[in-house]
Amino acid sequence: MSYLSLKNVTKEYKSEAGTFKALDNVTFDLENGEFVVILGPSGAGKTTLLNLLGGMDNATSGSIVLDDKDISKFNKKDLTLYRRTDVGFVFQFYNLMPNLTALENVELATEICKDALSPTDILKSVELGDRLKNFPAQLSGGEQQRVSIARAIAKNPKLLLCDEPTGALDYITGKTILKLLYSVSKEQNKLVIVVTHNQALKDMADKVIHIKNGYIEKIDVNKKPKPIMEIEW
Amino acid sequence: MKAYLKSTGRMFKRQLTRFLTIVAIIFVSVGLMAGIGEVQNKIDFAIKDYYQSQNVPDLIIKSKKMTGFSPEEISYLQYKFGTDNIQTSFSYDTKIDDEIIRIYNYELNSNINKLELLEGNFPTSDLEVLVERKTDGIKSYEVGDKINLSNGFIEKQYTVSGIVRNPLIIHKVKEPSTSFENEHIDKIIYLNNTSFMPIKITNDVYVSLADREIFNSYSKTYKTQIEELKSSIELSDVVVLSLYENFGLYSMHEFAGKVGKIAIIFVIFFLLVTALVVFSTMTRLLDEERSQIACLKTLGYSDVSIVGRYQIFISLASIIGGLMALAVGNGITKLLYSAFDIQYAMPPFPKSVPFFYFLLSFLIILTSALVVTTLSGLKLIKNKPAVLLTPKAPHAGKKVLMERIPFVWNSLSFKYKSSFRNVFLFKSRFFMTVVSIIGSTVLVLSGLGLLDNALKTENSDSLIMIAAVLIVFAGLLCALVIYNITNINISERNREIATLMVLGYSDKEVSGYIFREIYIMSFIGAILGVPLGLGFLEFVFNFISFGSISNVNWWTWIITPVITIIFTTISSMLLYKKIVKTNMNESLKTLD
């Protein structure tokens, strides 16, 4: 059994206009320590997939098994606990609390989590050791995203989900952030999933899942991913 | 123009909750301001009415001579004031069976100082008498009672034919005796101009000025006129009393003036709270309208037509709130007016009074709401469309003063640190919430304090009603402000709430994040409200010479902040659902 396994996952939204299938029979398997890119244009179903993997919504049918637990069967309370302990989330716009310092923003996640790592150590590891007491408004975009990543990995999650993590950053900063995420997957042996519409990222991933109109178009496996610094977009 | 109106209409629909919030705060403010303010007006109007309908004498000239006024003196007064404007009378206080009885003897159905018949009939024979009604200070008789009176030579038996109210004795407290020092009248009997005494004596002359309009409830002109008249009376051995020496009417007028002064405190307080509520609500509304405003600006709409939308919004809300307040304000005035019944025999509530205070309160509130809206509108609109199209930068996090006291700060749990920073960061909201909660606490304390005193008073019905009204309005004020501030916080922190949910915070933890700040501010307000309420209550009790702090139960001081905090909790809980229904996808959206 794979670390993360999706089988025939379908998500439908019902409205007065009729039923809309946002995801149609999605099936794939991912292993721990992999760096995965989910690629697709807007409206392809990336956000829906992210919602299901992140425990923010239930699938209409199919199963999503992470580390032997089927999260597609979880109720609201289980899902909250799942988000609390098992998923690290990195947002496009960082979503830091403006009134909390960098350190406190990381503590925001570790405080409610049992097996959390030391927030100070994590911030040091993302090279923000001297920015612990700064508020988000005092940090650059790249620094804010590093706090966001630190917040996501400090809880020692089973899965790191990143939604367009470089979308709001300049080219160089974007690259350093991707490098950081890549090293998390390799050095800490985590499954890192990056959702993006940026085609250039496909070369750096172990696996690339192409999604289109709600179904999986194809899955590419890179035997030798390109180092991030060689990728250009 | 059609599209512009459509978009304005949709703005009203989109901002319905905010619209209703403003309607409600204006309703409460104008209702209380006008309701309390109008009392003085109504009472003075009633006094004036009563003065005219009962033809209350402006002057009472009392002779100090045993034999009373001489026929020459009476002719002089008749000549000076006009025969129709004076009424001669005889009165004296006597002690019978340890009771002091005042006896009047004059033409009872005279046109001057008309006695109000409360029960029975006017006398039809010399042996029938009228008696004054029972008050807190005066005992009375029943109709048909027999009274034996002696003039020192012969005793006669009289029958009580009716019970009356003398307009000069409209208060209900003790009436001092003119003959026995430091003693009070127990009973008052009116003889119908009978030959009670062996010789006819006149020792009182009532003077009623021909111009009944001049009084106008103790106007300045009246005062000058009365002083001139008093000094122009050329008689020796007389005392001239005016309506300024009349305990009943004058103290009623003075008391109404005091209520009018207390009303000013309410006016200032509610004006402040309303302005703050309108300011915070409209600021948030305008922030949400940024992209709309930017769009209108790029299309070339003038600043006037853009800000005009929000001026129409606030004016309409004010007018609806104000109209609703009209009935409630009148109800409050009526209630306070009836509370005067405890000390005074109040004339009926006057109807035909222009709503001067209502219009004044409404115009003050409307003007300040418009000014606040226009200022925040102009401040936003002077930005370039490009700036307006980008989202408003979040309030930058900042250390608060408390963090400099590590002993206190470090002992706080992490959640509280975040809340305290927000509490002190948003100063106008902090001020608005704390001031409103203080006001609410003071209102509850006044209500309960009044209740503690009221239950010790006879005829306390209307005081209990006033206490209830105070507590209801305290609740309304608290609910409105807390609901409003919570609602603003939720919509402003939508993204933060969604992020906390994604991070795995439970519903309770997420709502706690919003509520904690509200509770900190409410707690500060409720605690500060108690000493301030004590001061206010002491001032009011002293000022209106009713009630005392010592009559207030000890537990009232404890229960008051608890009640306020319960009000806060209930009103914030109304928004619990809105918080937990936040869509987690808000955290993924682009900033807008």
PDB file of all heavy atoms in Angstrom, chain A residues 51 76 80 83-84 91 93 95 97-100 104 108 111-112, chain B residues 397 414 418 421-422 495 499 501 504-505 507 509 513 585 587 590:
ATOM      1  N   ASN A  51      -8.472  20.824  -1.508  1.00  0.00           N
ATOM      2  CA  ASN A  51      -9.440  20.806  -0.403  1.00  0.00           C
ATOM      3  C   ASN A  51      -9.620  19.404   0.148  1.00  0.00           C
ATOM      4  O   ASN A  51      -9.725  19.210   1.357  1.00  0.00           O
ATOM      5  CB  ASN A  51     -10.803  21.319  -0.875  1.00  0.00           C
ATOM      6  CG  ASN A  51     -10.837  22.827  -0.977  1.00  0.00           C
ATOM      7  OD1 ASN A  51      -9.953  23.506  -0.455  1.00  0.00           O
ATOM      8  ND2 ASN A  51     -11.836  23.353  -1.656  1.00  0.00           N
ATOM      9  N   LYS A  76     -16.672  15.743  10.523  1.00  0.00           N
ATOM     10  CA  LYS A  76     -16.159  17.098  10.686  1.00  0.00           C
ATOM     11  C   LYS A  76     -15.073  17.166  11.777  1.00  0.00           C
ATOM     12  O   LYS A  76     -14.026  17.790  11.604  1.00  0.00           O
ATOM     13  CB  LYS A  76     -17.321  18.038  11.039  1.00  0.00           C
ATOM     14  CG  LYS A  76     -16.957  19.500  10.988  1.00  0.00           C
ATOM     15  CD  LYS A  76     -18.169  20.382  11.262  1.00  0.00           C
ATOM     16  CE  LYS A  76     -17.755  21.840  11.222  1.00  0.00           C
ATOM     17  NZ  LYS A  76     -17.696  22.490  12.506  1.00  0.00           N
ATOM     18  N   THR A  80     -11.032  18.022  11.434  1.00  0.00           N
ATOM     19  CA  THR A  80     -10.347  19.089  12.170  1.00  0.00           C
ATOM     20  C   THR A  80      -9.052  18.551  12.786  1.00  0.00           C
ATOM     21  O   THR A  80      -7.995  19.169  12.693  1.00  0.00           O
ATOM     22  CB  THR A  80     -11.268  19.670  13.265  1.00  0.00           C
ATOM     23  OG1 THR A  80     -12.477  20.095  12.656  1.00  0.00           O
ATOM     24  CG2 THR A  80     -10.613  20.851  13.976  1.00  0.00           C
ATOM     25  N   ARG A  83      -6.428  17.975  10.102  1.00  0.00           N
ATOM     26  CA  ARG A  83      -5.761  19.216   9.688  1.00  0.00           C
ATOM     27  C   ARG A  83      -4.791  19.703  10.760  1.00  0.00           C
ATOM     28  O   ARG A  83      -3.740  20.239  10.484  1.00  0.00           O
ATOM     29  CB  ARG A  83      -6.794  20.327   9.426  1.00  0.00           C
ATOM     30  CG  ARG A  83      -7.679  20.097   8.223  1.00  0.00           C
ATOM     31  CD  ARG A  83      -8.366  21.390   7.821  1.00  0.00           C
ATOM     32  NE  ARG A  83      -9.168  21.980   8.888  1.00  0.00           N
ATOM     33  CZ  ARG A  83     -10.443  21.695   9.118  1.00  0.00           C
ATOM     34  NH1 ARG A  83     -11.078  20.829   8.347  1.00  0.00           N
ATOM     35  NH2 ARG A  83     -11.084  22.277  10.112  1.00  0.00           N
ATOM     36  N   ARG A  84      -5.177  19.464  11.992  1.00  0.00           N
ATOM     37  CA  ARG A  84      -4.399  19.913  13.129  1.00  0.00           C
ATOM     38  C   ARG A  84      -3.049  19.204  13.217  1.00  0.00           C
ATOM     39  O   ARG A  84      -2.039  19.840  13.517  1.00  0.00           O
ATOM     40  CB  ARG A  84      -5.229  19.591  14.370  1.00  0.00           C
ATOM     41  CG  ARG A  84      -5.029  20.399  15.579  1.00  0.00           C
ATOM     42  CD  ARG A  84      -6.067  19.881  16.593  1.00  0.00           C
ATOM     43  NE  ARG A  84      -5.900  20.517  17.866  1.00  0.00           N
ATOM     44  CZ  ARG A  84      -6.752  21.403  18.366  1.00  0.00           C
ATOM     45  NH1 ARG A  84      -7.833  21.730  17.705  1.00  0.00           N
ATOM     46  NH2 ARG A  84      -6.531  21.941  19.542  1.00  0.00           N
ATOM     47  N   PHE A  91       0.327  28.593   2.020  1.00  0.00           N
ATOM     48  CA  PHE A  91      -0.611  29.345   1.188  1.00  0.00           C
ATOM     49  C   PHE A  91       0.117  30.258   0.196  1.00  0.00           C
ATOM     50  O   PHE A  91       1.249  30.677   0.430  1.00  0.00           O
ATOM     51  CB  PHE A  91      -1.500  30.239   2.062  1.00  0.00           C
ATOM     52  CG  PHE A  91      -2.262  29.502   3.108  1.00  0.00           C
ATOM     53  CD1 PHE A  91      -1.710  29.291   4.373  1.00  0.00           C
ATOM     54  CD2 PHE A  91      -3.538  29.027   2.862  1.00  0.00           C
ATOM     55  CE1 PHE A  91      -2.422  28.632   5.364  1.00  0.00           C
ATOM     56  CE2 PHE A  91      -4.254  28.365   3.847  1.00  0.00           C
ATOM     57  CZ  PHE A  91      -3.700  28.165   5.090  1.00  0.00           C
ATOM     58  N   PHE A  93      -0.668  33.340  -0.361  1.00  0.00           N
ATOM     59  CA  PHE A  93      -0.472  34.674   0.241  1.00  0.00           C
ATOM     60  C   PHE A  93      -0.065  34.573   1.712  1.00  0.00           C
ATOM     61  O   PHE A  93      -0.412  35.419   2.520  1.00  0.00           O
ATOM     62  CB  PHE A  93      -1.730  35.524   0.061  1.00  0.00           C
ATOM     63  CG  PHE A  93      -2.047  35.773  -1.384  1.00  0.00           C
ATOM     64  CD1 PHE A  93      -3.011  35.031  -2.044  1.00  0.00           C
ATOM     65  CD2 PHE A  93      -1.336  36.721  -2.101  1.00  0.00           C
ATOM     66  CE1 PHE A  93      -3.288  35.253  -3.388  1.00  0.00           C
ATOM     67  CE2 PHE A  93      -1.600  36.948  -3.442  1.00  0.00           C
ATOM     68  CZ  PHE A  93      -2.574  36.211  -4.096  1.00  0.00           C
ATOM     69  N   ASN A  95      -0.799  33.971   4.514  1.00  0.00           N
ATOM     70  CA  ASN A  95      -1.813  33.914   5.566  1.00  0.00           C
ATOM     71  C   ASN A  95      -1.229  33.882   6.967  1.00  0.00           C
ATOM     72  O   ASN A  95      -1.611  33.064   7.798  1.00  0.00           O
ATOM     73  CB  ASN A  95      -2.725  32.700   5.368  1.00  0.00           C
ATOM     74  CG  ASN A  95      -3.613  32.873   4.165  1.00  0.00           C
ATOM     75  OD1 ASN A  95      -3.380  33.776   3.345  1.00  0.00           O
ATOM     76  ND2 ASN A  95      -4.620  32.054   4.047  1.00  0.00           N
ATOM     77  N   MET A  97      -0.809  35.634  10.688  1.00  0.00           N
ATOM     78  CA  MET A  97      -1.598  36.533  11.528  1.00  0.00           C
ATOM     79  C   MET A  97      -0.823  37.837  11.675  1.00  0.00           C
ATOM     80  O   MET A  97       0.316  37.817  12.175  1.00  0.00           O
ATOM     81  CB  MET A  97      -1.811  35.919  12.911  1.00  0.00           C
ATOM     82  CG  MET A  97      -2.521  34.599  12.880  1.00  0.00           C
ATOM     83  SD  MET A  97      -4.275  34.830  12.540  1.00  0.00           S
ATOM     84  CE  MET A  97      -4.554  33.377  11.558  1.00  0.00           C
ATOM     85  N   PRO A  98      -1.414  38.950  11.243  1.00  0.00           N
ATOM     86  CA  PRO A  98      -0.644  40.199  11.245  1.00  0.00           C
ATOM     87  C   PRO A  98      -0.218  40.658  12.641  1.00  0.00           C
ATOM     88  O   PRO A  98       0.763  41.375  12.785  1.00  0.00           O
ATOM     89  CB  PRO A  98      -1.590  41.217  10.605  1.00  0.00           C
ATOM     90  CG  PRO A  98      -2.936  40.622  10.652  1.00  0.00           C
ATOM     91  CD  PRO A  98      -2.769  39.133  10.689  1.00  0.00           C
ATOM     92  N   ASN A  99      -0.970  40.238  13.653  1.00  0.00           N
ATOM     93  CA  ASN A  99      -0.650  40.735  14.995  1.00  0.00           C
ATOM     94  C   ASN A  99       0.209  39.766  15.794  1.00  0.00           C
ATOM     95  O   ASN A  99       0.358  39.908  16.987  1.00  0.00           O
ATOM     96  CB  ASN A  99      -1.931  41.057  15.756  1.00  0.00           C
ATOM     97  CG  ASN A  99      -2.704  39.801  16.086  1.00  0.00           C
ATOM     98  OD1 ASN A  99      -2.637  38.826  15.360  1.00  0.00           O
ATOM     99  ND2 ASN A  99      -3.394  39.806  17.196  1.00  0.00           N
ATOM    100  N   LEU A 100       0.738  38.744  15.116  1.00  0.00           N
ATOM    101  CA  LEU A 100       1.637  37.809  15.802  1.00  0.00           C
ATOM    102  C   LEU A 100       3.020  37.890  15.168  1.00  0.00           C
ATOM    103  O   LEU A 100       3.153  38.056  13.952  1.00  0.00           O
ATOM    104  CB  LEU A 100       1.107  36.376  15.694  1.00  0.00           C
ATOM    105  CG  LEU A 100      -0.230  36.079  16.366  1.00  0.00           C
ATOM    106  CD1 LEU A 100      -0.590  34.605  16.182  1.00  0.00           C
ATOM    107  CD2 LEU A 100      -0.195  36.413  17.852  1.00  0.00           C
ATOM    108  N   GLU A 104       5.592  33.595  17.027  1.00  0.00           N
ATOM    109  CA  GLU A 104       4.229  33.311  17.500  1.00  0.00           C
ATOM    110  C   GLU A 104       3.364  32.700  16.400  1.00  0.00           C
ATOM    111  O   GLU A 104       2.489  31.876  16.676  1.00  0.00           O
ATOM    112  CB  GLU A 104       3.580  34.594  18.029  1.00  0.00           C
ATOM    113  CG  GLU A 104       4.181  35.054  19.356  1.00  0.00           C
ATOM    114  CD  GLU A 104       3.885  36.501  19.682  1.00  0.00           C
ATOM    115  OE1 GLU A 104       3.389  37.231  18.799  1.00  0.00           O
ATOM    116  OE2 GLU A 104       4.183  36.919  20.813  1.00  0.00           O
ATOM    117  N   LEU A 108       1.441  29.255  16.737  1.00  0.00           N
ATOM    118  CA  LEU A 108       0.014  29.138  16.470  1.00  0.00           C
ATOM    119  C   LEU A 108      -0.336  27.715  16.029  1.00  0.00           C
ATOM    120  O   LEU A 108      -1.394  27.188  16.362  1.00  0.00           O
ATOM    121  CB  LEU A 108      -0.354  30.135  15.367  1.00  0.00           C
ATOM    122  CG  LEU A 108      -1.821  30.378  15.061  1.00  0.00           C
ATOM    123  CD1 LEU A 108      -2.503  31.080  16.217  1.00  0.00           C
ATOM    124  CD2 LEU A 108      -1.959  31.229  13.807  1.00  0.00           C
ATOM    125  N   GLU A 111       1.180  24.913  19.004  1.00  0.00           N
ATOM    126  CA  GLU A 111       0.499  24.937  20.294  1.00  0.00           C
ATOM    127  C   GLU A 111      -0.614  23.901  20.390  1.00  0.00           C
ATOM    128  O   GLU A 111      -0.915  23.390  21.467  1.00  0.00           O
ATOM    129  CB  GLU A 111      -0.064  26.336  20.525  1.00  0.00           C
ATOM    130  CG  GLU A 111      -0.253  26.675  21.976  1.00  0.00           C
ATOM    131  CD  GLU A 111      -1.077  27.933  22.138  1.00  0.00           C
ATOM    132  OE1 GLU A 111      -2.064  28.118  21.412  1.00  0.00           O
ATOM    133  OE2 GLU A 111      -0.709  28.739  22.987  1.00  0.00           O
ATOM    134  N   ILE A 112      -1.250  23.628  19.263  1.00  0.00           N
ATOM    135  CA  ILE A 112      -2.404  22.729  19.301  1.00  0.00           C
ATOM    136  C   ILE A 112      -2.046  21.330  18.775  1.00  0.00           C
ATOM    137  O   ILE A 112      -2.913  20.565  18.385  1.00  0.00           O
ATOM    138  CB  ILE A 112      -3.582  23.309  18.485  1.00  0.00           C
ATOM    139  CG1 ILE A 112      -3.163  23.604  17.041  1.00  0.00           C
ATOM    140  CG2 ILE A 112      -4.122  24.560  19.143  1.00  0.00           C
ATOM    141  CD1 ILE A 112      -4.327  23.867  16.113  1.00  0.00           C
TER     142      ILE A 112
ATOM    143  N   GLY B 397       1.087  44.471  12.694  1.00  0.00           N
ATOM    144  CA  GLY B 397       1.219  44.067  14.079  1.00  0.00           C
ATOM    145  C   GLY B 397       2.200  44.980  14.804  1.00  0.00           C
ATOM    146  O   GLY B 397       3.118  45.510  14.204  1.00  0.00           O
ATOM    147  N   PHE B 414      -0.515  32.392  25.232  1.00  0.00           N
ATOM    148  CA  PHE B 414      -0.277  32.835  23.879  1.00  0.00           C
ATOM    149  C   PHE B 414      -1.526  33.446  23.209  1.00  0.00           C
ATOM    150  O   PHE B 414      -1.474  34.472  22.552  1.00  0.00           O
ATOM    151  CB  PHE B 414       0.220  31.600  23.150  1.00  0.00           C
ATOM    152  CG  PHE B 414       0.239  31.698  21.701  1.00  0.00           C
ATOM    153  CD1 PHE B 414       1.184  32.496  21.081  1.00  0.00           C
ATOM    154  CD2 PHE B 414      -0.680  30.997  20.948  1.00  0.00           C
ATOM    155  CE1 PHE B 414       1.209  32.568  19.715  1.00  0.00           C
ATOM    156  CE2 PHE B 414      -0.644  31.072  19.597  1.00  0.00           C
ATOM    157  CZ  PHE B 414       0.297  31.864  18.971  1.00  0.00           C
ATOM    158  N   SER B 418      -2.160  37.581  21.738  1.00  0.00           N
ATOM    159  CA  SER B 418      -2.692  37.990  20.454  1.00  0.00           C
ATOM    160  C   SER B 418      -3.914  38.899  20.636  1.00  0.00           C
ATOM    161  O   SER B 418      -4.038  39.944  19.995  1.00  0.00           O
ATOM    162  CB  SER B 418      -3.039  36.744  19.652  1.00  0.00           C
ATOM    163  OG  SER B 418      -4.121  36.964  18.823  1.00  0.00           O
ATOM    164  N   ARG B 421      -3.027  42.400  21.958  1.00  0.00           N
ATOM    165  CA  ARG B 421      -2.443  43.258  20.917  1.00  0.00           C
ATOM    166  C   ARG B 421      -3.546  43.872  20.068  1.00  0.00           C
ATOM    167  O   ARG B 421      -3.536  45.063  19.797  1.00  0.00           O
ATOM    168  CB  ARG B 421      -1.504  42.445  20.035  1.00  0.00           C
ATOM    169  CG  ARG B 421      -0.119  42.370  20.621  1.00  0.00           C
ATOM    170  CD  ARG B 421       0.893  41.961  19.565  1.00  0.00           C
ATOM    171  NE  ARG B 421       2.086  41.465  20.232  1.00  0.00           N
ATOM    172  CZ  ARG B 421       2.584  40.253  20.066  1.00  0.00           C
ATOM    173  NH1 ARG B 421       2.001  39.413  19.222  1.00  0.00           N
ATOM    174  NH2 ARG B 421       3.663  39.883  20.713  1.00  0.00           N
ATOM    175  N   ASN B 422      -4.521  43.040  19.661  1.00  0.00           N
ATOM    176  CA  ASN B 422      -5.598  43.563  18.831  1.00  0.00           C
ATOM    177  C   ASN B 422      -6.444  44.580  19.582  1.00  0.00           C
ATOM    178  O   ASN B 422      -6.860  45.588  19.026  1.00  0.00           O
ATOM    179  CB  ASN B 422      -6.499  42.423  18.340  1.00  0.00           C
ATOM    180  CG  ASN B 422      -5.926  41.756  17.110  1.00  0.00           C
ATOM    181  OD1 ASN B 422      -5.047  42.322  16.455  1.00  0.00           O
ATOM    182  ND2 ASN B 422      -6.403  40.575  16.799  1.00  0.00           N
ATOM    183  N   ARG B 495     -10.252  36.077   6.514  1.00  0.00           N
ATOM    184  CA  ARG B 495      -9.108  35.309   6.053  1.00  0.00           C
ATOM    185  C   ARG B 495      -8.374  34.646   7.218  1.00  0.00           C
ATOM    186  O   ARG B 495      -7.968  33.485   7.137  1.00  0.00           O
ATOM    187  CB  ARG B 495      -8.171  36.271   5.327  1.00  0.00           C
ATOM    188  CG  ARG B 495      -7.213  35.591   4.410  1.00  0.00           C
ATOM    189  CD  ARG B 495      -6.336  36.608   3.724  1.00  0.00           C
ATOM    190  NE  ARG B 495      -5.500  35.900   2.794  1.00  0.00           N
ATOM    191  CZ  ARG B 495      -5.895  35.534   1.588  1.00  0.00           C
ATOM    192  NH1 ARG B 495      -7.094  35.849   1.172  1.00  0.00           N
ATOM    193  NH2 ARG B 495      -5.084  34.862   0.804  1.00  0.00           N
ATOM    194  N   THR B 499      -7.908  30.705   7.869  1.00  0.00           N
ATOM    195  CA  THR B 499      -6.568  30.137   8.062  1.00  0.00           C
ATOM    196  C   THR B 499      -6.518  29.300   9.336  1.00  0.00           C
ATOM    197  O   THR B 499      -5.975  28.188   9.334  1.00  0.00           O
ATOM    198  CB  THR B 499      -5.523  31.263   8.142  1.00  0.00           C
ATOM    199  OG1 THR B 499      -5.649  32.069   6.977  1.00  0.00           O
ATOM    200  CG2 THR B 499      -4.118  30.704   8.257  1.00  0.00           C
ATOM    201  N   MET B 501      -8.899  27.762  10.689  1.00  0.00           N
ATOM    202  CA  MET B 501      -9.632  26.522  10.448  1.00  0.00           C
ATOM    203  C   MET B 501      -8.769  25.528   9.680  1.00  0.00           C
ATOM    204  O   MET B 501      -8.753  24.343   9.999  1.00  0.00           O
ATOM    205  CB  MET B 501     -10.903  26.819   9.658  1.00  0.00           C
ATOM    206  CG  MET B 501     -11.957  27.487  10.504  1.00  0.00           C
ATOM    207  SD  MET B 501     -13.356  27.927   9.476  1.00  0.00           S
ATOM    208  CE  MET B 501     -14.627  28.050  10.714  1.00  0.00           C
ATOM    209  N   GLY B 504      -6.423  23.663  11.606  1.00  0.00           N
ATOM    210  CA  GLY B 504      -6.981  22.625  12.465  1.00  0.00           C
ATOM    211  C   GLY B 504      -7.541  23.132  13.783  1.00  0.00           C
ATOM    212  O   GLY B 504      -7.743  22.359  14.706  1.00  0.00           O
ATOM    213  N   TYR B 505      -7.799  24.436  13.849  1.00  0.00           N
ATOM    214  CA  TYR B 505      -8.436  24.964  15.064  1.00  0.00           C
ATOM    215  C   TYR B 505      -9.898  24.546  15.064  1.00  0.00           C
ATOM    216  O   TYR B 505     -10.561  24.556  14.024  1.00  0.00           O
ATOM    217  CB  TYR B 505      -8.302  26.491  15.111  1.00  0.00           C
ATOM    218  CG  TYR B 505      -6.998  26.951  15.734  1.00  0.00           C
ATOM    219  CD1 TYR B 505      -5.777  26.759  15.091  1.00  0.00           C
ATOM    220  CD2 TYR B 505      -6.985  27.543  16.987  1.00  0.00           C
ATOM    221  CE1 TYR B 505      -4.592  27.148  15.663  1.00  0.00           C
ATOM    222  CE2 TYR B 505      -5.805  27.948  17.579  1.00  0.00           C
ATOM    223  CZ  TYR B 505      -4.602  27.740  16.914  1.00  0.00           C
ATOM    224  OH  TYR B 505      -3.433  28.123  17.505  1.00  0.00           O
ATOM    225  N   ASP B 507     -14.025  24.734  16.126  1.00  0.00           N
ATOM    226  CA  ASP B 507     -14.988  25.837  16.092  1.00  0.00           C
ATOM    227  C   ASP B 507     -14.886  26.718  17.334  1.00  0.00           C
ATOM    228  O   ASP B 507     -14.931  27.938  17.260  1.00  0.00           O
ATOM    229  CB  ASP B 507     -16.420  25.288  15.986  1.00  0.00           C
ATOM    230  CG  ASP B 507     -16.694  24.730  14.595  1.00  0.00           C
ATOM    231  OD1 ASP B 507     -15.816  24.907  13.715  1.00  0.00           O
ATOM    232  OD2 ASP B 507     -17.755  24.124  14.407  1.00  0.00           O
ATOM    233  N   GLU B 509     -12.309  27.054  19.356  1.00  0.00           N
ATOM    234  CA  GLU B 509     -11.042  27.801  19.400  1.00  0.00           C
ATOM    235  C   GLU B 509     -11.065  28.985  18.441  1.00  0.00           C
ATOM    236  O   GLU B 509     -10.570  30.064  18.766  1.00  0.00           O
ATOM    237  CB  GLU B 509      -9.880  26.869  19.062  1.00  0.00           C
ATOM    238  CG  GLU B 509      -9.573  25.872  20.162  1.00  0.00           C
ATOM    239  CD  GLU B 509      -8.691  24.704  19.696  1.00  0.00           C
ATOM    240  OE1 GLU B 509      -8.698  24.387  18.488  1.00  0.00           O
ATOM    241  OE2 GLU B 509      -8.022  24.114  20.540  1.00  0.00           O
ATOM    242  N   TYR B 513     -11.065  33.069  19.338  1.00  0.00           N
ATOM    243  CA  TYR B 513     -10.100  34.034  18.792  1.00  0.00           C
ATOM    244  C   TYR B 513     -10.752  35.401  18.570  1.00  0.00           C
ATOM    245  O   TYR B 513     -10.146  36.433  18.814  1.00  0.00           O
ATOM    246  CB  TYR B 513      -9.558  33.473  17.471  1.00  0.00           C
ATOM    247  CG  TYR B 513      -8.487  34.290  16.816  1.00  0.00           C
ATOM    248  CD1 TYR B 513      -7.180  34.252  17.283  1.00  0.00           C
ATOM    249  CD2 TYR B 513      -8.778  35.111  15.740  1.00  0.00           C
ATOM    250  CE1 TYR B 513      -6.195  35.001  16.684  1.00  0.00           C
ATOM    251  CE2 TYR B 513      -7.802  35.859  15.132  1.00  0.00           C
ATOM    252  CZ  TYR B 513      -6.504  35.803  15.603  1.00  0.00           C
ATOM    253  OH  TYR B 513      -5.534  36.547  15.005  1.00  0.00           O
ATOM    254  N   ASN B 585     -12.050  28.048   2.078  1.00  0.00           N
ATOM    255  CA  ASN B 585     -11.438  28.478   0.820  1.00  0.00           C
ATOM    256  C   ASN B 585     -11.089  29.964   0.804  1.00  0.00           C
ATOM    257  O   ASN B 585     -10.341  30.417  -0.043  1.00  0.00           O
ATOM    258  CB  ASN B 585     -12.354  28.155  -0.353  1.00  0.00           C
ATOM    259  CG  ASN B 585     -12.234  26.698  -0.744  1.00  0.00           C
ATOM    260  OD1 ASN B 585     -11.136  26.148  -0.729  1.00  0.00           O
ATOM    261  ND2 ASN B 585     -13.346  26.074  -1.046  1.00  0.00           N
ATOM    262  N   SER B 587      -9.199  31.273   2.680  1.00  0.00           N
ATOM    263  CA  SER B 587      -7.766  31.366   2.963  1.00  0.00           C
ATOM    264  C   SER B 587      -6.940  31.178   1.699  1.00  0.00           C
ATOM    265  O   SER B 587      -5.775  31.528   1.652  1.00  0.00           O
ATOM    266  CB  SER B 587      -7.380  30.314   4.000  1.00  0.00           C
ATOM    267  OG  SER B 587      -7.579  29.032   3.450  1.00  0.00           O
ATOM    268  N   THR B 590      -7.326  34.930  -3.672  1.00  0.00           N
ATOM    269  CA  THR B 590      -6.455  36.087  -3.831  1.00  0.00           C
ATOM    270  C   THR B 590      -6.956  37.171  -2.883  1.00  0.00           C
ATOM    271  O   THR B 590      -8.100  37.149  -2.446  1.00  0.00           O
ATOM    272  CB  THR B 590      -6.529  36.634  -5.259  1.00  0.00           C
ATOM    273  OG1 THR B 590      -7.899  36.760  -5.597  1.00  0.00           O
ATOM    274  CG2 THR B 590      -5.817  35.737  -6.228  1.00  0.00           C
TER     275      THR B 590
END
